Amino acid sequence: MSAELISGIDFLGRPSEYVRGMSDGVVGLLAYDICEPLSEEEYDKWLFNVHYHDLMSNPYLEKIILHTVSKDKKAKLSSGTEVQNSVTFFRLAELHFQSHEAYGKYIEYFQTNAIPPPRSPVGKSAFKFYLIAQTESMTKAPAEMPISVASSPSKVLVVGSSGNIGQVLVKKLRALEGVTVIEASRSGAVPLDIYDANSVKGLDAVAVLQGGVDHVIVSCGASTFGPISSFDSAKWMETGYNKFVALTRLMIMLANGTEVKVLRDGGSITVTTGQAARVVNKMWPGISANNAGLEAFIKSAAVEAPRGVRLNAVAPGLVRETAVKAGMALENTVEAEVVAAKYIPLIFGTMTGQIVDAGKQQAFKKSHHDGMHD
């Protein structure tokens, strides 16, 4: 699931933010009544004791969510007007699948393994409609950052602060009350080479990092640009190591707190991925693989991560400042200022396992970095 922080103004003129989450899966929406002469008690006895055992035996069905329509409570619009529905039904069921392909295999499974008539819905469920949909969720964003930051001073380590996003992000963080920002790079005052595990371990010996940091932001790592025909085995291993392996190893070392202890308990790690993970482009096999791998890693690794550490990522489209430097078209680009703002709720909020998009990625044929890296 990917997520995007949406900023705007509510109808009272107040600043507003919410998180728009976009699921990778699909949902079957099935509304039905109970066939006569069955009672609700008889129907539910069959539903829960027979039918759902049969449905859940299908390996491609992830879960079912039921919504029973209230008989005595009527829905009203925000104006207070009661809604007069043209379609009524007893229940709405959600059948959740990992993908459209999984739904297709779900159907194939029952075509091969047909449920016998006495156990099937025939004569029990009167279907009103059955639709397939993709889902999105809107959730309230974490509380405003200056308030939470001021109440709890934070030390933030930024790795890769010299890029277009990193420079703006450092300025934003330094403008927050109670936040101390420390920059790390291969040639900076705090030396760090993410490609060298010993360099990562050396963070514990840096004077300015004594006592640890609360948050780590990583805005670096490179992927090789070009079609699959441009790779050989050595070049493919190199592009995987330079982003996916290096960044996931860094996150593991920081989260575990055994090889390097610089990140405090309950801290956060926020990295930069890219929407190339979800946009098809023949020039991006290396870029897409690295970013898709990072997104999958973050979603899974965030589940019960060690020491209460939170893992998140920001996935920008093509950054406008990068496009300007590369002489590329500016259409559908996103400003570094907008991208940098997406990190703040992830750093200081409570979210974990989230991939927050910034802008919308467009496929392009020209490398946007010198050296053919993303």
Side-chain angles (χ1 to χ4, degrees), residues 308-344:
V309 170
R310 295 183 297 107
L311 305 174
N312 295 294
V314 173
L318 177 59
V319 177
R320 178 175 292 266
E321 291 81 353
T322 302
V324 169
K325 291 179 181 178
M328 300 174 67
L330 302 184
E331 185 180 3
N332 295 315
T333 57
V334 57
E335 296 86 352
E337 180 79 20
V338 173
V339 178
K342 303 290 186 179
Y343 289 78
I344 306 300

mmCIF file of all heavy atoms in Angstrom, residues 308-344:
data_model
loop_
_atom_site.group_PDB
_atom_site.id
_atom_site.type_symbol
_atom_site.label_atom_id
_atom_site.label_comp_id
_atom_site.label_asym_id
_atom_site.label_seq_id
_atom_site.Cartn_x
_atom_site.Cartn_y
_atom_site.Cartn_z
ATOM 1 N N GLY A 308 10.887 -0.922 18.780
ATOM 2 C CA GLY A 308 9.842 0.053 18.473
ATOM 3 C C GLY A 308 10.229 1.040 17.405
ATOM 4 O O GLY A 308 9.598 2.104 17.265
ATOM 5 N N VAL A 309 11.245 0.720 16.606
ATOM 6 C CA VAL A 309 11.699 1.617 15.544
ATOM 7 C C VAL A 309 10.665 1.645 14.415
ATOM 8 O O VAL A 309 10.117 0.613 14.032
ATOM 9 C CB VAL A 309 13.071 1.166 14.993
ATOM 10 C CG1 VAL A 309 13.449 1.940 13.736
ATOM 11 C CG2 VAL A 309 14.145 1.354 16.061
ATOM 12 N N ARG A 310 10.387 2.845 13.899
ATOM 13 C CA ARG A 310 9.456 3.004 12.790
ATOM 14 C C ARG A 310 10.214 3.137 11.473
ATOM 15 O O ARG A 310 11.245 3.803 11.413
ATOM 16 C CB ARG A 310 8.575 4.240 13.003
ATOM 17 C CG ARG A 310 7.649 4.144 14.213
ATOM 18 C CD ARG A 310 6.752 5.360 14.347
ATOM 19 N NE ARG A 310 7.512 6.579 14.583
ATOM 20 C CZ ARG A 310 7.703 7.550 13.696
ATOM 21 N NH1 ARG A 310 7.199 7.430 12.473
ATOM 22 N NH2 ARG A 310 8.402 8.625 13.990
ATOM 23 N N LEU A 311 9.684 2.507 10.417
ATOM 24 C CA LEU A 311 10.298 2.546 9.092
ATOM 25 C C LEU A 311 9.293 3.104 8.086
ATOM 26 O O LEU A 311 8.170 2.600 7.992
ATOM 27 C CB LEU A 311 10.726 1.144 8.649
ATOM 28 C CG LEU A 311 11.656 0.359 9.576
ATOM 29 C CD1 LEU A 311 11.850 -1.044 9.033
ATOM 30 C CD2 LEU A 311 12.992 1.060 9.708
ATOM 31 N N ASN A 312 9.679 4.134 7.346
ATOM 32 C CA ASN A 312 8.811 4.739 6.342
ATOM 33 C C ASN A 312 9.644 5.213 5.163
ATOM 34 O O ASN A 312 10.876 5.206 5.218
ATOM 35 C CB ASN A 312 8.048 5.930 6.937
ATOM 36 C CG ASN A 312 7.067 5.528 8.027
ATOM 37 O OD1 ASN A 312 6.088 4.849 7.770
ATOM 38 N ND2 ASN A 312 7.350 5.950 9.261
ATOM 39 N N ALA A 313 8.947 5.643 4.107
ATOM 40 C CA ALA A 313 9.654 6.161 2.933
ATOM 41 C C ALA A 313 8.818 7.219 2.234
ATOM 42 O O ALA A 313 7.588 7.200 2.279
ATOM 43 C CB ALA A 313 9.978 5.037 1.953
ATOM 44 N N VAL A 314 9.511 8.130 1.573
ATOM 45 C CA VAL A 314 8.882 9.088 0.668
ATOM 46 C C VAL A 314 9.270 8.685 -0.751
ATOM 47 O O VAL A 314 10.442 8.413 -1.029
ATOM 48 C CB VAL A 314 9.335 10.533 0.959
ATOM 49 C CG1 VAL A 314 8.790 11.494 -0.109
ATOM 50 C CG2 VAL A 314 8.883 10.963 2.350
ATOM 51 N N ALA A 315 8.274 8.631 -1.640
ATOM 52 C CA ALA A 315 8.505 8.217 -3.027
ATOM 53 C C ALA A 315 8.146 9.370 -3.953
ATOM 54 O O ALA A 315 6.985 9.544 -4.331
ATOM 55 C CB ALA A 315 7.666 6.980 -3.364
ATOM 56 N N PRO A 316 9.126 10.184 -4.318
ATOM 57 C CA PRO A 316 8.827 11.328 -5.197
ATOM 58 C C PRO A 316 8.750 10.932 -6.659
ATOM 59 O O PRO A 316 9.316 9.921 -7.084
ATOM 60 C CB PRO A 316 10.018 12.266 -4.950
ATOM 61 C CG PRO A 316 11.145 11.340 -4.606
ATOM 62 C CD PRO A 316 10.522 10.177 -3.868
ATOM 63 N N GLY A 317 8.049 11.761 -7.437
ATOM 64 C CA GLY A 317 8.148 11.677 -8.876
ATOM 65 C C GLY A 317 9.425 12.393 -9.290
ATOM 66 O O GLY A 317 10.342 12.572 -8.483
ATOM 67 N N LEU A 318 9.496 12.824 -10.525
ATOM 68 C CA LEU A 318 10.678 13.543 -10.990
ATOM 69 C C LEU A 318 10.712 14.920 -10.345
ATOM 70 O O LEU A 318 9.771 15.708 -10.489
ATOM 71 C CB LEU A 318 10.668 13.675 -12.514
ATOM 72 C CG LEU A 318 11.830 14.470 -13.133
ATOM 73 C CD1 LEU A 318 13.175 13.843 -12.777
ATOM 74 C CD2 LEU A 318 11.656 14.569 -14.639
ATOM 75 N N VAL A 319 11.790 15.215 -9.607
ATOM 76 C CA VAL A 319 11.919 16.482 -8.894
ATOM 77 C C VAL A 319 12.258 17.596 -9.888
ATOM 78 O O VAL A 319 13.128 17.447 -10.751
ATOM 79 C CB VAL A 319 13.010 16.373 -7.811
ATOM 80 C CG1 VAL A 319 13.216 17.707 -7.098
ATOM 81 C CG2 VAL A 319 12.629 15.282 -6.804
ATOM 82 N N ARG A 320 11.548 18.711 -9.774
ATOM 83 C CA ARG A 320 11.688 19.805 -10.738
ATOM 84 C C ARG A 320 13.127 20.305 -10.832
ATOM 85 O O ARG A 320 13.668 20.511 -11.926
ATOM 86 C CB ARG A 320 10.764 20.960 -10.344
ATOM 87 C CG ARG A 320 10.862 22.183 -11.267
ATOM 88 C CD ARG A 320 9.839 23.217 -10.875
ATOM 89 N NE ARG A 320 8.492 22.748 -11.152
ATOM 90 C CZ ARG A 320 7.826 23.022 -12.279
ATOM 91 N NH1 ARG A 320 8.390 23.740 -13.225
ATOM 92 N NH2 ARG A 320 6.615 22.573 -12.457
ATOM 93 N N GLU A 321 13.779 20.494 -9.685
ATOM 94 C CA GLU A 321 15.145 21.004 -9.696
ATOM 95 C C GLU A 321 16.101 20.035 -10.386
ATOM 96 O O GLU A 321 17.053 20.447 -11.063
ATOM 97 C CB GLU A 321 15.602 21.277 -8.264
ATOM 98 C CG GLU A 321 14.909 22.450 -7.588
ATOM 99 C CD GLU A 321 13.533 22.117 -7.017
ATOM 100 O OE1 GLU A 321 13.032 20.990 -7.247
ATOM 101 O OE2 GLU A 321 12.961 22.979 -6.334
ATOM 102 N N THR A 322 15.847 18.746 -10.231
ATOM 103 C CA THR A 322 16.657 17.735 -10.916
ATOM 104 C C THR A 322 16.444 17.814 -12.425
ATOM 105 O O THR A 322 17.386 17.725 -13.215
ATOM 106 C CB THR A 322 16.300 16.330 -10.408
ATOM 107 O OG1 THR A 322 16.508 16.276 -8.997
ATOM 108 C CG2 THR A 322 17.142 15.264 -11.087
ATOM 109 N N ALA A 323 15.170 17.975 -12.838
ATOM 110 C CA ALA A 323 14.854 18.076 -14.255
ATOM 111 C C ALA A 323 15.505 19.299 -14.888
ATOM 112 O O ALA A 323 15.993 19.246 -16.022
ATOM 113 C CB ALA A 323 13.336 18.120 -14.444
ATOM 114 N N VAL A 324 15.528 20.419 -14.154
ATOM 115 C CA VAL A 324 16.156 21.644 -14.665
ATOM 116 C C VAL A 324 17.639 21.407 -14.929
ATOM 117 O O VAL A 324 18.173 21.755 -15.993
ATOM 118 C CB VAL A 324 15.968 22.808 -13.674
ATOM 119 C CG1 VAL A 324 16.834 24.000 -14.072
ATOM 120 C CG2 VAL A 324 14.505 23.225 -13.615
ATOM 121 N N LYS A 325 18.330 20.799 -13.975
ATOM 122 C CA LYS A 325 19.761 20.542 -14.124
ATOM 123 C C LYS A 325 20.046 19.585 -15.278
ATOM 124 O O LYS A 325 21.087 19.677 -15.935
ATOM 125 C CB LYS A 325 20.330 19.976 -12.821
ATOM 126 C CG LYS A 325 20.372 20.978 -11.681
ATOM 127 C CD LYS A 325 20.918 20.346 -10.421
ATOM 128 C CE LYS A 325 20.935 21.344 -9.257
ATOM 129 N NZ LYS A 325 21.427 20.725 -7.998
ATOM 130 N N ALA A 326 19.115 18.653 -15.534
ATOM 131 C CA ALA A 326 19.324 17.663 -16.589
ATOM 132 C C ALA A 326 18.804 18.129 -17.949
ATOM 133 O O ALA A 326 18.929 17.413 -18.938
ATOM 134 C CB ALA A 326 18.648 16.348 -16.208
ATOM 135 N N GLY A 327 18.214 19.342 -17.987
ATOM 136 C CA GLY A 327 17.691 19.852 -19.244
ATOM 137 C C GLY A 327 16.471 19.112 -19.727
ATOM 138 O O GLY A 327 16.240 18.992 -20.929
ATOM 139 N N MET A 328 15.639 18.621 -18.792
ATOM 140 C CA MET A 328 14.454 17.848 -19.145
ATOM 141 C C MET A 328 13.208 18.718 -19.073
ATOM 142 O O MET A 328 13.209 19.803 -18.482
ATOM 143 C CB MET A 328 14.314 16.653 -18.200
ATOM 144 C CG MET A 328 15.499 15.706 -18.241
ATOM 145 S SD MET A 328 15.383 14.398 -17.003
ATOM 146 C CE MET A 328 13.986 13.485 -17.617
ATOM 147 N N ALA A 329 12.112 18.251 -19.676
ATOM 148 C CA ALA A 329 10.836 18.960 -19.622
ATOM 149 C C ALA A 329 10.350 19.036 -18.181
ATOM 150 O O ALA A 329 10.553 18.105 -17.388
ATOM 151 C CB ALA A 329 9.808 18.249 -20.492
ATOM 152 N N LEU A 330 9.697 20.139 -17.826
ATOM 153 C CA LEU A 330 9.264 20.352 -16.443
ATOM 154 C C LEU A 330 7.827 19.914 -16.202
ATOM 155 O O LEU A 330 7.352 19.954 -15.067
ATOM 156 C CB LEU A 330 9.421 21.833 -16.074
ATOM 157 C CG LEU A 330 10.829 22.413 -16.217
ATOM 158 C CD1 LEU A 330 10.855 23.854 -15.738
ATOM 159 C CD2 LEU A 330 11.836 21.572 -15.442
ATOM 160 N N GLU A 331 7.133 19.482 -17.239
ATOM 161 C CA GLU A 331 5.754 19.033 -17.077
ATOM 162 C C GLU A 331 5.692 17.820 -16.142
ATOM 163 O O GLU A 331 6.496 16.898 -16.237
ATOM 164 C CB GLU A 331 5.166 18.662 -18.435
ATOM 165 C CG GLU A 331 3.693 18.290 -18.371
ATOM 166 C CD GLU A 331 3.131 17.923 -19.738
ATOM 167 O OE1 GLU A 331 3.926 17.906 -20.713
ATOM 168 O OE2 GLU A 331 1.940 17.641 -19.831
ATOM 169 N N ASN A 332 4.724 17.866 -15.210
ATOM 170 C CA ASN A 332 4.496 16.779 -14.252
ATOM 171 C C ASN A 332 5.671 16.540 -13.302
ATOM 172 O O ASN A 332 5.833 15.441 -12.768
ATOM 173 C CB ASN A 332 4.176 15.469 -14.992
ATOM 174 C CG ASN A 332 2.877 15.550 -15.764
ATOM 175 O OD1 ASN A 332 1.874 16.042 -15.259
ATOM 176 N ND2 ASN A 332 2.894 15.092 -17.005
ATOM 177 N N THR A 333 6.490 17.560 -13.084
ATOM 178 C CA THR A 333 7.545 17.451 -12.071
ATOM 179 C C THR A 333 7.015 17.952 -10.735
ATOM 180 O O THR A 333 5.962 18.587 -10.661
ATOM 181 C CB THR A 333 8.791 18.255 -12.478
ATOM 182 O OG1 THR A 333 8.420 19.628 -12.687
ATOM 183 C CG2 THR A 333 9.420 17.697 -13.742
ATOM 184 N N VAL A 334 7.737 17.678 -9.670
ATOM 185 C CA VAL A 334 7.332 18.099 -8.329
ATOM 186 C C VAL A 334 8.488 18.846 -7.679
ATOM 187 O O VAL A 334 9.642 18.429 -7.773
ATOM 188 C CB VAL A 334 6.900 16.876 -7.470
ATOM 189 C CG1 VAL A 334 8.010 15.841 -7.365
ATOM 190 C CG2 VAL A 334 6.438 17.315 -6.090
ATOM 191 N N GLU A 335 8.190 19.983 -7.047
ATOM 192 C CA GLU A 335 9.232 20.798 -6.439
ATOM 193 C C GLU A 335 9.838 20.094 -5.231
ATOM 194 O O GLU A 335 9.155 19.382 -4.490
ATOM 195 C CB GLU A 335 8.667 22.159 -6.003
ATOM 196 C CG GLU A 335 8.169 23.032 -7.137
ATOM 197 C CD GLU A 335 6.728 22.737 -7.512
ATOM 198 O OE1 GLU A 335 6.175 21.745 -6.980
ATOM 199 O OE2 GLU A 335 6.171 23.478 -8.335
ATOM 200 N N ALA A 336 11.135 20.314 -5.025
ATOM 201 C CA ALA A 336 11.825 19.728 -3.869
ATOM 202 C C ALA A 336 11.171 20.176 -2.567
ATOM 203 O O ALA A 336 11.130 19.430 -1.589
ATOM 204 C CB ALA A 336 13.302 20.117 -3.893
ATOM 205 N N GLU A 337 10.640 21.386 -2.547
ATOM 206 C CA GLU A 337 9.958 21.917 -1.358
ATOM 207 C C GLU A 337 8.762 21.047 -0.992
ATOM 208 O O GLU A 337 8.526 20.741 0.184
ATOM 209 C CB GLU A 337 9.498 23.348 -1.627
ATOM 210 C CG GLU A 337 8.778 24.026 -0.470
ATOM 211 C CD GLU A 337 9.717 24.549 0.599
ATOM 212 O OE1 GLU A 337 10.909 24.737 0.296
ATOM 213 O OE2 GLU A 337 9.253 24.749 1.735
ATOM 214 N N VAL A 338 8.003 20.619 -2.007
ATOM 215 C CA VAL A 338 6.827 19.767 -1.781
ATOM 216 C C VAL A 338 7.266 18.387 -1.295
ATOM 217 O O VAL A 338 6.667 17.818 -0.369
ATOM 218 C CB VAL A 338 5.996 19.650 -3.074
ATOM 219 C CG1 VAL A 338 4.861 18.639 -2.904
ATOM 220 C CG2 VAL A 338 5.448 21.008 -3.474
ATOM 221 N N VAL A 339 8.308 17.852 -1.911
ATOM 222 C CA VAL A 339 8.798 16.531 -1.523
ATOM 223 C C VAL A 339 9.294 16.548 -0.084
ATOM 224 O O VAL A 339 8.953 15.675 0.721
ATOM 225 C CB VAL A 339 9.930 16.063 -2.464
ATOM 226 C CG1 VAL A 339 10.459 14.700 -2.026
ATOM 227 C CG2 VAL A 339 9.437 15.995 -3.905
ATOM 228 N N ALA A 340 10.096 17.558 0.255
ATOM 229 C CA ALA A 340 10.675 17.630 1.603
ATOM 230 C C ALA A 340 9.591 17.696 2.676
ATOM 231 O O ALA A 340 9.742 17.124 3.766
ATOM 232 C CB ALA A 340 11.600 18.842 1.702
ATOM 233 N N ALA A 341 8.481 18.365 2.374
ATOM 234 C CA ALA A 341 7.396 18.495 3.353
ATOM 235 C C ALA A 341 6.766 17.152 3.692
ATOM 236 O O ALA A 341 6.212 16.978 4.793
ATOM 237 C CB ALA A 341 6.330 19.451 2.821
ATOM 238 N N LYS A 342 6.842 16.187 2.777
ATOM 239 C CA LYS A 342 6.240 14.875 3.012
ATOM 240 C C LYS A 342 6.979 14.082 4.093
ATOM 241 O O LYS A 342 6.414 13.173 4.702
ATOM 242 C CB LYS A 342 6.225 14.054 1.711
ATOM 243 C CG LYS A 342 5.498 14.712 0.551
ATOM 244 C CD LYS A 342 4.020 14.769 0.770
ATOM 245 C CE LYS A 342 3.304 15.308 -0.467
ATOM 246 N NZ LYS A 342 1.844 15.343 -0.287
ATOM 247 N N TYR A 343 8.253 14.409 4.327
ATOM 248 C CA TYR A 343 9.031 13.667 5.313
ATOM 249 C C TYR A 343 8.620 14.011 6.749
ATOM 250 O O TYR A 343 8.726 13.165 7.647
ATOM 251 C CB TYR A 343 10.529 13.980 5.168
ATOM 252 C CG TYR A 343 11.192 13.417 3.944
ATOM 253 C CD1 TYR A 343 11.037 14.030 2.704
ATOM 254 C CD2 TYR A 343 11.991 12.283 4.008
ATOM 255 C CE1 TYR A 343 11.654 13.526 1.568
ATOM 256 C CE2 TYR A 343 12.619 11.774 2.883
ATOM 257 C CZ TYR A 343 12.439 12.405 1.660
ATOM 258 O OH TYR A 343 13.050 11.902 0.549
ATOM 259 N N ILE A 344 8.189 15.246 6.971
ATOM 260 C CA ILE A 344 8.003 15.740 8.335
ATOM 261 C C ILE A 344 7.011 14.902 9.155
ATOM 262 O O ILE A 344 7.334 14.467 10.266
ATOM 263 C CB ILE A 344 7.589 17.232 8.325
ATOM 264 C CG1 ILE A 344 8.598 18.066 7.528
ATOM 265 C CG2 ILE A 344 7.452 17.748 9.748
ATOM 266 C CD1 ILE A 344 10.011 18.037 8.062
#
